[in-house]
Amino acid sequence: MNITKEQIDDLNAVVKVALTKDDYQDKVDTILKDYRKQANIPGFRKGQVPMGLIKKQYGKAVLVDEVNKLLQDNLNKYLTEEKLDVLGNPLPKQQESLDWDAEELAFEFELGLAPSFDVKLKTKKAITQYKIVADKKMVEEQVERIRKQYGKIVSKSEVGKNHELTGIFKNEAEEIEHKTTLELDKVKSKKALDTLLGKKVNDTVTLKTKGLFKEDYLLSAALGIDREKAEKLNIEVEFTIEEINERELAELNQELFDKIFGEGKVSSEKELKAKIKEDSEKQFEQQADQKLLNDVTEKLIEETKFELPKEFLHKWIQVSGENPLTEDEAKEEYEKSEKGLRYQLIEGKIINENNLQVQFDELKEFAKGFIKSQMAQYGHLNPEEEELENIAARVMGNQDEVKRMSEQLMSQKLLNLYKEKANLKVKEISYENFVKEVYG
Protein backbone atom coordinates (compact mmCIF):
# COMPACT_ATOMS: atom_id res chain seq x y z
CA MET A 1 0.00 0.00 0.00
CA ASN A 2 1.19 3.49 -0.84
CA ILE A 3 -0.38 6.72 0.54
CA THR A 4 0.67 10.15 -0.70
CA LYS A 5 -0.69 13.67 -0.24
CA GLU A 6 -0.98 16.35 -2.90
CA GLN A 7 -1.37 19.84 -1.44
CA ILE A 8 -3.80 21.87 -3.56
CA ASP A 9 -3.63 25.05 -1.43
CA ASP A 10 -3.51 25.98 2.27
CA LEU A 11 -7.03 24.65 2.86
CA ASN A 12 -7.37 21.76 0.42
CA ALA A 13 -5.45 18.58 -0.30
CA VAL A 14 -5.92 15.23 -2.04
CA VAL A 15 -4.76 11.97 -0.50
CA LYS A 16 -3.99 9.19 -2.99
CA VAL A 17 -4.09 5.56 -1.87
CA ALA A 18 -2.70 2.77 -4.08
CA LEU A 19 -3.49 -0.85 -3.13
CA THR A 20 -2.10 -4.04 -4.61
CA LYS A 21 -3.59 -7.51 -4.32
CA ASP A 22 -1.00 -8.32 -1.67
CA ASP A 23 -2.76 -5.81 0.62
CA TYR A 24 -6.13 -7.54 0.63
CA GLN A 25 -6.19 -10.85 -1.28
CA ASP A 26 -5.27 -13.14 1.66
CA LYS A 27 -8.08 -11.65 3.75
CA VAL A 28 -10.58 -11.98 0.88
CA ASP A 29 -9.59 -15.62 0.31
CA THR A 30 -9.96 -16.45 4.02
CA ILE A 31 -13.47 -14.99 4.13
CA LEU A 32 -14.52 -16.81 0.97
CA LYS A 33 -13.22 -20.10 2.43
CA ASP A 34 -15.39 -19.46 5.51
CA TYR A 35 -18.34 -18.75 3.21
CA ARG A 36 -17.70 -22.05 1.44
CA LYS A 37 -17.82 -23.98 4.74
CA GLN A 38 -21.18 -22.45 5.64
CA ALA A 39 -22.82 -22.17 2.19
CA ASN A 40 -26.10 -24.02 1.56
CA ILE A 41 -26.60 -24.19 -2.21
CA PRO A 42 -29.06 -26.69 -3.73
CA GLY A 43 -27.27 -29.60 -5.43
CA PHE A 44 -24.18 -29.44 -3.22
CA ARG A 45 -23.41 -30.83 0.20
CA LYS A 46 -22.60 -28.26 2.90
CA GLY A 47 -18.92 -27.37 2.64
CA GLN A 48 -18.53 -28.96 -0.78
CA VAL A 49 -19.62 -26.05 -2.98
CA PRO A 50 -16.96 -25.37 -5.68
CA MET A 51 -14.83 -22.34 -4.82
CA GLY A 52 -15.42 -20.93 -8.32
CA LEU A 53 -19.14 -20.75 -7.60
CA ILE A 54 -18.52 -19.07 -4.21
CA LYS A 55 -16.24 -16.51 -5.86
CA LYS A 56 -18.77 -15.84 -8.59
CA GLN A 57 -21.60 -15.34 -6.07
CA TYR A 58 -19.80 -13.53 -3.24
CA GLY A 59 -16.31 -12.58 -4.47
CA LYS A 60 -17.02 -9.03 -5.65
CA ALA A 61 -19.02 -8.04 -2.55
CA VAL A 62 -16.35 -9.42 -0.18
CA LEU A 63 -13.57 -7.71 -2.16
CA VAL A 64 -15.33 -4.32 -2.09
CA ASP A 65 -16.08 -4.64 1.62
CA GLU A 66 -12.52 -5.56 2.56
CA VAL A 67 -10.98 -2.83 0.39
CA ASN A 68 -13.28 -0.22 1.99
CA LYS A 69 -12.29 -1.40 5.49
CA LEU A 70 -8.63 -1.27 4.53
CA LEU A 71 -8.99 2.22 3.10
CA GLN A 72 -10.86 3.53 6.15
CA ASP A 73 -8.42 2.10 8.70
CA ASN A 74 -5.27 3.18 6.90
CA LEU A 75 -6.59 6.59 5.91
CA ASN A 76 -7.45 7.40 9.53
CA LYS A 77 -4.07 6.12 10.65
CA TYR A 78 -2.33 8.25 8.02
CA LEU A 79 -4.20 11.43 9.06
CA THR A 80 -3.26 10.80 12.71
CA GLU A 81 0.40 10.06 12.00
CA GLU A 82 0.77 13.05 9.68
CA LYS A 83 -1.07 15.22 12.25
CA LEU A 84 -3.40 16.60 9.59
CA ASP A 85 -6.11 18.78 11.13
CA VAL A 86 -9.06 18.10 8.83
CA LEU A 87 -12.57 19.52 8.77
CA GLY A 88 -15.39 17.03 8.29
CA ASN A 89 -14.29 13.70 6.83
CA PRO A 90 -12.25 12.76 3.72
CA LEU A 91 -14.48 12.65 0.64
CA PRO A 92 -13.80 9.94 -1.97
CA LYS A 93 -13.40 11.39 -5.47
CA GLN A 94 -15.83 9.89 -7.96
CA GLN A 95 -14.29 7.48 -10.46
CA GLU A 96 -15.86 6.80 -13.83
CA SER A 97 -15.02 3.08 -13.76
CA LEU A 98 -12.94 0.87 -11.51
CA ASP A 99 -11.55 -2.50 -12.57
CA TRP A 100 -11.77 -4.53 -9.35
CA ASP A 101 -9.76 -7.32 -11.01
CA ALA A 102 -6.76 -5.10 -11.69
CA GLU A 103 -3.41 -5.81 -10.01
CA GLU A 104 -3.46 -2.33 -8.47
CA LEU A 105 -6.40 -0.24 -7.22
CA ALA A 106 -6.06 3.54 -6.91
CA PHE A 107 -8.30 5.83 -4.86
CA GLU A 108 -8.31 9.56 -4.19
CA PHE A 109 -9.82 11.46 -1.25
CA GLU A 110 -10.43 15.19 -0.95
CA LEU A 111 -9.46 16.80 2.35
CA GLY A 112 -10.64 20.11 3.82
CA LEU A 113 -7.87 21.40 6.09
CA ALA A 114 -8.31 23.54 9.19
CA PRO A 115 -6.87 27.04 8.67
CA SER A 116 -3.83 28.40 10.45
CA PHE A 117 -4.59 31.53 12.52
CA ASP A 118 -3.76 33.37 15.76
CA VAL A 119 -6.22 34.23 18.53
CA LYS A 120 -5.75 37.44 20.48
CA LEU A 121 -7.71 37.49 23.74
CA LYS A 122 -6.88 41.18 24.11
CA THR A 123 -9.50 42.38 21.63
CA LYS A 124 -9.18 45.84 20.09
CA LYS A 125 -12.26 47.15 21.88
CA ALA A 126 -12.83 46.43 25.58
CA ILE A 127 -15.73 44.10 26.39
CA THR A 128 -18.09 45.05 29.20
CA GLN A 129 -18.02 42.76 32.22
CA TYR A 130 -21.21 43.44 34.15
CA LYS A 131 -21.19 43.34 37.95
CA ILE A 132 -24.85 43.26 38.93
CA VAL A 133 -25.50 44.70 42.38
CA ALA A 134 -28.62 44.28 44.48
CA ASP A 135 -29.46 47.91 45.29
CA LYS A 136 -31.35 49.15 48.35
CA LYS A 137 -34.66 49.23 46.47
CA MET A 138 -34.35 45.59 45.36
CA VAL A 139 -33.40 44.40 48.85
CA GLU A 140 -36.35 46.26 50.40
CA GLU A 141 -38.72 44.77 47.81
CA GLN A 142 -37.40 41.28 48.58
CA VAL A 143 -37.91 41.85 52.33
CA GLU A 144 -41.49 42.92 51.53
CA ARG A 145 -42.03 39.77 49.43
CA ILE A 146 -40.75 37.56 52.26
CA ARG A 147 -43.01 39.26 54.79
CA LYS A 148 -45.98 38.80 52.44
CA GLN A 149 -45.11 35.18 51.69
CA TYR A 150 -44.92 34.23 55.36
CA GLY A 151 -47.66 36.59 56.55
CA LYS A 152 -51.32 35.81 57.33
CA ILE A 153 -54.10 36.05 54.78
CA VAL A 154 -57.16 37.85 56.15
CA SER A 155 -60.46 37.78 54.26
CA LYS A 156 -62.08 41.18 53.58
CA SER A 157 -65.63 42.13 52.64
CA GLU A 158 -64.73 44.84 50.12
CA VAL A 159 -61.74 45.85 48.04
CA GLY A 160 -59.26 48.17 49.70
CA LYS A 161 -55.85 49.54 48.80
CA ASN A 162 -53.12 46.86 48.30
CA HIS A 163 -55.57 43.96 48.69
CA GLU A 164 -55.29 40.71 46.71
CA LEU A 165 -58.25 39.71 44.58
CA THR A 166 -58.87 36.21 43.29
CA GLY A 167 -61.18 36.18 40.30
CA ILE A 168 -61.77 35.33 36.65
CA PHE A 169 -60.81 37.42 33.61
CA LYS A 170 -63.12 36.97 30.59
CA ASN A 171 -63.33 38.15 26.99
CA GLU A 172 -65.36 35.94 24.64
CA ALA A 173 -64.05 37.46 21.40
CA GLU A 174 -60.41 36.67 22.37
CA GLU A 175 -61.42 33.35 24.00
CA ILE A 176 -60.04 34.48 27.35
CA GLU A 177 -61.31 32.88 30.55
CA HIS A 178 -58.66 32.61 33.23
CA LYS A 179 -58.68 32.47 37.01
CA THR A 180 -55.92 34.48 38.65
CA THR A 181 -54.86 36.44 41.73
CA LEU A 182 -54.68 40.17 41.17
CA GLU A 183 -52.32 42.09 43.50
CA LEU A 184 -53.46 45.71 43.54
CA ASP A 185 -49.99 47.04 44.35
CA LYS A 186 -48.91 45.76 40.91
CA VAL A 187 -51.73 47.53 39.04
CA LYS A 188 -50.55 50.67 37.22
CA SER A 189 -53.82 52.03 35.78
CA LYS A 190 -55.38 54.60 38.17
CA LYS A 191 -58.73 54.17 36.42
CA ALA A 192 -58.61 50.40 37.04
CA LEU A 193 -57.77 50.94 40.71
CA ASP A 194 -60.60 53.43 41.14
CA THR A 195 -62.98 50.94 39.48
CA LEU A 196 -61.94 48.10 41.81
CA LEU A 197 -61.84 49.95 45.15
CA GLY A 198 -64.97 49.35 47.21
CA LYS A 199 -66.17 46.38 45.14
CA LYS A 200 -67.35 43.14 46.80
CA VAL A 201 -67.27 39.40 46.14
CA ASN A 202 -69.28 38.43 43.00
CA ASP A 203 -69.04 41.98 41.57
CA THR A 204 -67.92 42.19 37.95
CA VAL A 205 -65.89 45.13 36.61
CA THR A 206 -64.62 46.04 33.13
CA LEU A 207 -60.91 46.82 32.80
CA LYS A 208 -58.71 47.88 29.88
CA THR A 209 -55.70 45.65 29.23
CA LYS A 210 -53.38 48.37 27.89
CA GLY A 211 -51.29 49.81 30.72
CA LEU A 212 -53.08 47.71 33.32
CA PHE A 213 -49.93 46.55 35.15
CA LYS A 214 -46.69 48.20 36.23
CA GLU A 215 -44.75 45.37 34.53
CA ASP A 216 -45.88 44.31 31.04
CA TYR A 217 -45.14 40.60 31.59
CA LEU A 218 -47.84 40.39 34.30
CA LEU A 219 -50.66 40.75 31.74
CA SER A 220 -49.93 37.44 29.98
CA ALA A 221 -49.94 35.56 33.30
CA ALA A 222 -53.14 37.26 34.48
CA LEU A 223 -55.04 36.48 31.26
CA GLY A 224 -53.49 33.05 30.65
CA ILE A 225 -52.16 33.96 27.18
CA ASP A 226 -48.66 34.01 25.66
CA ARG A 227 -46.51 37.12 26.04
CA GLU A 228 -46.41 37.90 22.32
CA LYS A 229 -50.22 38.12 22.19
CA ALA A 230 -50.35 40.08 25.45
CA GLU A 231 -47.89 42.71 24.14
CA LYS A 232 -50.22 43.59 21.25
CA LEU A 233 -53.48 43.36 23.23
CA ASN A 234 -55.61 46.49 23.66
CA ILE A 235 -59.10 45.34 24.66
CA GLU A 236 -61.58 45.44 27.52
CA VAL A 237 -61.90 42.40 29.80
CA GLU A 238 -64.40 41.56 32.51
CA PHE A 239 -63.10 40.63 35.95
CA THR A 240 -65.42 38.82 38.37
CA ILE A 241 -64.26 38.92 42.00
CA GLU A 242 -64.36 35.60 43.90
CA GLU A 243 -62.19 36.42 46.94
CA ILE A 244 -60.88 39.58 48.59
CA ASN A 245 -57.88 39.15 50.89
CA GLU A 246 -55.35 41.25 52.70
CA ARG A 247 -51.93 39.97 53.68
CA GLU A 248 -50.80 40.89 57.14
CA LEU A 249 -47.03 41.14 56.88
CA ALA A 250 -45.02 38.68 58.95
CA GLU A 251 -42.91 40.15 61.74
CA LEU A 252 -39.18 40.25 61.18
CA ASN A 253 -38.26 38.09 64.17
CA GLN A 254 -36.00 35.14 64.96
CA GLU A 255 -38.77 32.64 64.25
CA LEU A 256 -39.09 33.94 60.69
CA PHE A 257 -35.30 34.10 60.16
CA ASP A 258 -34.87 30.47 61.32
CA LYS A 259 -37.75 29.32 59.12
CA ILE A 260 -36.16 30.83 56.00
CA PHE A 261 -32.43 30.31 56.51
CA GLY A 262 -32.08 27.65 59.20
CA GLU A 263 -31.57 28.00 62.92
CA GLY A 264 -29.21 30.79 63.98
CA LYS A 265 -27.97 31.65 60.46
CA VAL A 266 -29.57 35.13 60.53
CA SER A 267 -30.39 37.00 63.74
CA SER A 268 -31.37 40.56 62.76
CA GLU A 269 -33.03 42.62 60.04
CA LYS A 270 -29.61 44.00 59.11
CA GLU A 271 -28.23 40.46 58.66
CA LEU A 272 -31.37 39.50 56.71
CA LYS A 273 -30.79 42.30 54.23
CA ALA A 274 -27.10 41.46 53.94
CA LYS A 275 -27.99 37.82 53.24
CA ILE A 276 -30.58 38.79 50.61
CA LYS A 277 -28.03 41.06 48.94
CA GLU A 278 -25.33 38.34 48.98
CA ASP A 279 -27.65 35.60 47.64
CA SER A 280 -29.13 37.87 44.95
CA GLU A 281 -25.73 38.99 43.68
CA LYS A 282 -24.50 35.38 43.60
CA GLN A 283 -27.51 34.51 41.45
CA PHE A 284 -26.97 37.57 39.24
CA GLU A 285 -23.33 36.56 38.74
CA GLN A 286 -24.43 33.56 36.66
CA GLN A 287 -26.38 35.83 34.30
CA ALA A 288 -23.51 38.30 34.08
CA ASP A 289 -21.04 35.47 33.40
CA GLN A 290 -23.23 34.06 30.63
CA LYS A 291 -23.49 37.52 29.08
CA LEU A 292 -19.70 37.91 29.27
CA LEU A 293 -19.12 34.49 27.71
CA ASN A 294 -21.50 35.33 24.85
CA ASP A 295 -19.92 38.75 24.27
CA VAL A 296 -16.34 37.44 24.27
CA THR A 297 -17.39 34.69 21.87
CA GLU A 298 -18.95 37.22 19.47
CA LYS A 299 -15.94 39.53 19.67
CA LEU A 300 -13.43 36.71 19.05
CA ILE A 301 -15.40 35.54 16.00
CA GLU A 302 -15.51 39.12 14.72
CA GLU A 303 -11.80 39.86 15.20
CA THR A 304 -10.20 36.46 14.40
CA LYS A 305 -9.97 36.38 10.62
CA PHE A 306 -9.34 33.20 8.62
CA GLU A 307 -10.59 31.47 5.49
CA LEU A 308 -12.41 28.14 5.40
CA PRO A 309 -12.47 25.50 2.62
CA LYS A 310 -16.02 26.46 1.65
CA GLU A 311 -16.37 24.36 -1.49
CA PHE A 312 -15.16 21.23 0.31
CA LEU A 313 -17.52 21.88 3.24
CA HIS A 314 -20.45 22.38 0.85
CA LYS A 315 -19.72 18.94 -0.67
CA TRP A 316 -19.24 17.34 2.74
CA ILE A 317 -22.51 18.75 4.09
CA GLN A 318 -24.29 17.44 0.99
CA VAL A 319 -23.39 13.82 1.72
CA SER A 320 -22.72 13.64 5.48
CA GLY A 321 -26.30 13.75 6.76
CA GLU A 322 -28.86 10.99 7.00
CA ASN A 323 -30.46 12.22 3.77
CA PRO A 324 -28.39 13.71 0.91
CA LEU A 325 -28.93 17.44 0.27
CA THR A 326 -29.03 19.41 -2.95
CA GLU A 327 -26.20 21.83 -3.67
CA ASP A 328 -28.38 24.82 -2.70
CA GLU A 329 -29.56 23.12 0.51
CA ALA A 330 -25.96 22.36 1.46
CA LYS A 331 -24.92 25.99 0.89
CA GLU A 332 -27.82 27.19 3.02
CA GLU A 333 -26.87 24.74 5.79
CA TYR A 334 -23.27 25.93 5.61
CA GLU A 335 -24.34 29.56 6.05
CA LYS A 336 -26.26 28.58 9.18
CA SER A 337 -23.38 26.62 10.70
CA GLU A 338 -20.36 28.70 9.59
CA LYS A 339 -20.34 30.95 12.68
CA GLY A 340 -20.49 27.95 15.03
CA LEU A 341 -17.69 26.21 13.12
CA ARG A 342 -15.52 29.32 13.33
CA TYR A 343 -15.93 29.54 17.09
CA GLN A 344 -15.35 25.80 17.45
CA LEU A 345 -11.96 26.26 15.78
CA ILE A 346 -11.17 29.38 17.83
CA GLU A 347 -12.19 27.70 21.08
CA GLY A 348 -10.14 24.60 20.25
CA LYS A 349 -7.06 26.74 19.67
CA ILE A 350 -7.58 28.64 22.95
CA ILE A 351 -7.99 25.37 24.85
CA ASN A 352 -4.81 23.88 23.33
CA GLU A 353 -2.66 27.00 23.70
CA ASN A 354 -3.67 27.45 27.36
CA ASN A 355 -3.57 23.73 28.17
CA LEU A 356 -7.14 23.71 29.51
CA GLN A 357 -8.16 20.20 30.53
CA VAL A 358 -11.02 18.58 32.41
CA GLN A 359 -9.68 16.05 34.90
CA PHE A 360 -11.84 13.25 36.32
CA ASP A 361 -11.48 14.37 39.97
CA GLU A 362 -12.46 17.97 39.28
CA LEU A 363 -15.37 16.81 37.11
CA LYS A 364 -16.58 14.69 40.03
CA GLU A 365 -16.34 17.67 42.41
CA PHE A 366 -18.16 19.80 39.84
CA ALA A 367 -20.92 17.17 39.71
CA LYS A 368 -21.18 17.13 43.52
CA GLY A 369 -21.49 20.92 43.58
CA PHE A 370 -24.25 20.80 40.99
CA ILE A 371 -26.08 18.04 42.92
CA LYS A 372 -25.77 20.02 46.15
CA SER A 373 -27.28 23.14 44.58
CA GLN A 374 -30.13 21.07 43.13
CA MET A 375 -30.84 19.53 46.54
CA ALA A 376 -30.82 22.97 48.17
CA GLN A 377 -33.67 24.06 45.90
CA TYR A 378 -35.80 21.36 47.53
CA GLY A 379 -34.85 22.37 51.07
CA HIS A 380 -32.09 19.75 51.56
CA LEU A 381 -29.37 22.19 52.59
CA ASN A 382 -26.76 19.97 54.26
CA PRO A 383 -26.51 16.56 52.53
CA GLU A 384 -24.04 14.02 53.90
CA GLU A 385 -20.79 13.57 51.96
CA GLU A 386 -21.57 9.86 51.47
CA GLU A 387 -24.95 10.76 49.93
CA LEU A 388 -23.29 13.20 47.53
CA GLU A 389 -20.64 10.61 46.60
CA ASN A 390 -23.28 7.99 45.80
CA ILE A 391 -25.37 10.31 43.63
CA ALA A 392 -22.26 11.66 41.87
CA ALA A 393 -21.12 8.08 41.11
CA ARG A 394 -24.47 7.36 39.43
CA VAL A 395 -24.28 10.59 37.44
CA MET A 396 -20.71 9.85 36.34
CA GLY A 397 -21.89 6.49 35.04
CA ASN A 398 -24.10 8.23 32.48
CA GLN A 399 -22.01 9.19 29.42
CA ASP A 400 -24.48 11.84 28.27
CA GLU A 401 -24.35 13.52 31.70
CA VAL A 402 -20.55 13.31 31.76
CA LYS A 403 -20.38 14.96 28.32
CA ARG A 404 -22.80 17.71 29.35
CA MET A 405 -20.96 18.45 32.61
CA SER A 406 -17.56 18.34 30.89
CA GLU A 407 -18.76 21.01 28.47
CA GLN A 408 -20.09 23.12 31.35
CA LEU A 409 -16.82 22.80 33.27
CA MET A 410 -14.77 23.69 30.19
CA SER A 411 -16.99 26.75 29.66
CA GLN A 412 -16.23 27.74 33.25
CA LYS A 413 -12.49 27.33 32.62
CA LEU A 414 -12.75 29.46 29.46
CA LEU A 415 -14.71 32.09 31.36
CA ASN A 416 -12.02 32.24 34.07
CA LEU A 417 -9.36 32.58 31.37
CA TYR A 418 -11.27 35.42 29.70
CA LYS A 419 -11.65 37.22 33.05
CA GLU A 420 -7.89 36.93 33.53
CA LYS A 421 -6.61 37.73 30.03
CA ALA A 422 -9.29 39.38 27.89
CA ASN A 423 -9.67 43.12 27.40
CA LEU A 424 -12.51 43.80 29.85
CA LYS A 425 -14.02 46.86 31.51
CA VAL A 426 -16.08 46.27 34.67
CA LYS A 427 -19.43 48.03 34.92
CA GLU A 428 -21.48 47.99 38.13
CA ILE A 429 -25.18 48.06 37.43
CA SER A 430 -28.49 47.32 39.12
CA TYR A 431 -30.41 44.27 37.95
CA GLU A 432 -33.22 46.46 36.62
CA ASN A 433 -30.79 48.50 34.51
CA PHE A 434 -28.92 45.35 33.42
CA VAL A 435 -32.16 43.92 31.99
CA LYS A 436 -32.93 47.20 30.21
CA GLU A 437 -29.42 47.56 28.79
CA VAL A 438 -28.92 43.94 27.73
CA TYR A 439 -32.39 42.80 26.74
CA GLY A 440 -34.01 46.11 25.83
Side-chain angles (χ1 to χ4, degrees), residues 367-385:
K368 284 161 68 175
F370 177 76
I371 293 162
K372 197 172 180 179
S373 67
Q374 290 291 98
M375 294 172 82
Q377 290 180 20
Y378 295 96
H380 194 3
L381 299 175
N382 295 300
E384 296 289 333
E385 182 64 22

Side-chain angles (χ1 to χ4, degrees), residues 287-324:
Q287 285 180 265
D289 281 351
Q290 189 58 56
K291 171 65 177 164
L292 177 61
L293 197 58
N294 293 344
D295 288 349
V296 172
T297 297
E298 290 292 330
K299 188 57 71 174
L300 288 174
I301 292 171
E302 179 188 324
E303 294 193 3
T304 308
K305 305 295 185 184
F306 54 82
E307 294 297 320
L308 289 169
K310 282 188 181 182
E311 286 187 21
F312 170 84
L313 290 170
H314 289 165
K315 290 181 194 175
W316 177 70
I317 289 170
Q318 260 190 282
V319 298
S320 62
E322 199 171 312
N323 298 310

Side-chain angles (χ1 to χ4, degrees), residues 313-319 323-334:
L313 290 170
H314 289 165
K315 290 181 194 175
W316 177 70
I317 289 170
Q318 260 190 282
V319 298
N323 298 310
L325 302 178
T326 65
E327 191 174 331
D328 288 340
E329 286 171 338
K331 286 181 180 178
E332 187 179 340
E333 192 61 35
Y334 173 80

Side-chain angles (χ1 to χ4, degrees), residues 9-63:
D9 55 39
D10 289 342
L11 300 173
N12 295 276
V14 172
V15 170
K16 299 179 179 181
V17 184
L19 301 176
T20 66
K21 285 191 174 184
D22 289 342
D23 296 315
Y24 55 81
Q25 195 61 55
D26 286 349
K27 181 70 172 172
V28 170
D29 289 343
T30 300
I31 293 172
L32 290 175
K33 284 174 185 176
D34 288 339
Y35 273 35
R36 187 184 181 216
K37 290 175 187 176
Q38 304 299 325
N40 283 312
I41 296 178
F44 299 96
R45 281 186 297 165
K46 188 175 180 180
Q48 297 300 314
V49 180
M51 181 54 79
L53 189 57
I54 294 292
K55 286 184 177 180
K56 185 176 180 181
Q57 191 161 347
Y58 301 109
K60 180 74 171 290
V62 171
L63 172 62

Side-chain angles (χ1 to χ4, degrees), residues 181-323:
T181 297
L182 190 63
E183 297 178 48
L184 293 192
D185 61 353
K186 292 181 179 175
V187 173
K188 178 182 178 181
S189 168
K190 187 176 183 303
K191 187 174 180 181
L193 287 170
D194 291 342
T195 302
L196 288 164
L197 290 173
K199 294 295 184 289
K200 299 181 179 180
V201 171
N202 295 326
D203 284 350
T204 297
V205 297
T206 299
L207 305 173
K208 285 189 174 181
T209 58
K210 191 167 180 65
L212 180 58
F213 293 102
K214 292 176 182 177
E215 301 290 344
D216 291 339
Y217 73 89
L218 293 170
L219 183 63
S220 63
L223 301 184
I225 58 177
D226 62 53
R227 289 186 67 168
E228 190 177 345
K229 181 177 179 180
E231 285 172 8
K232 301 172 184 175
L233 208 60
N234 185 11
I235 59 170
E236 289 185 340
V237 287
E238 289 184 345
F239 182 69
T240 301
I241 301 168
E242 293 185 343
E243 290 179 33
I244 304 169
N245 296 306
E246 180 180 20
R247 283 188 182 264
E248 289 186 356
L249 300 182
E251 286 187 39
L252 294 176
N253 55 28
Q254 195 61 48
E255 183 184 353
L256 178 64
F257 301 151
D258 289 349
K259 190 182 290 185
I260 300 169
F261 299 106
E263 193 171 342
K265 297 286 178 67
V266 169
S267 55
S268 68
E269 184 178 342
K270 184 178 179 182
E271 287 182 15
L272 169 68
K273 290 179 178 177
K275 181 70 172 154
I276 289 171
K277 182 176 174 65
E278 179 189 349
D279 289 350
S280 297
E281 289 179 354
K282 197 176 289 182
Q283 189 177 349
F284 296 152
E285 190 176 352
Q286 294 177 0
Q287 285 180 265
D289 281 351
Q290 189 58 56
K291 171 65 177 164
L292 177 61
L293 197 58
N294 293 344
D295 288 349
V296 172
T297 297
E298 290 292 330
K299 188 57 71 174
L300 288 174
I301 292 171
E302 179 188 324
E303 294 193 3
T304 308
K305 305 295 185 184
F306 54 82
E307 294 297 320
L308 289 169
K310 282 188 181 182
E311 286 187 21
F312 170 84
L313 290 170
H314 289 165
K315 290 181 194 175
W316 177 70
I317 289 170
Q318 260 190 282
V319 298
S320 62
E322 199 171 312
N323 298 310

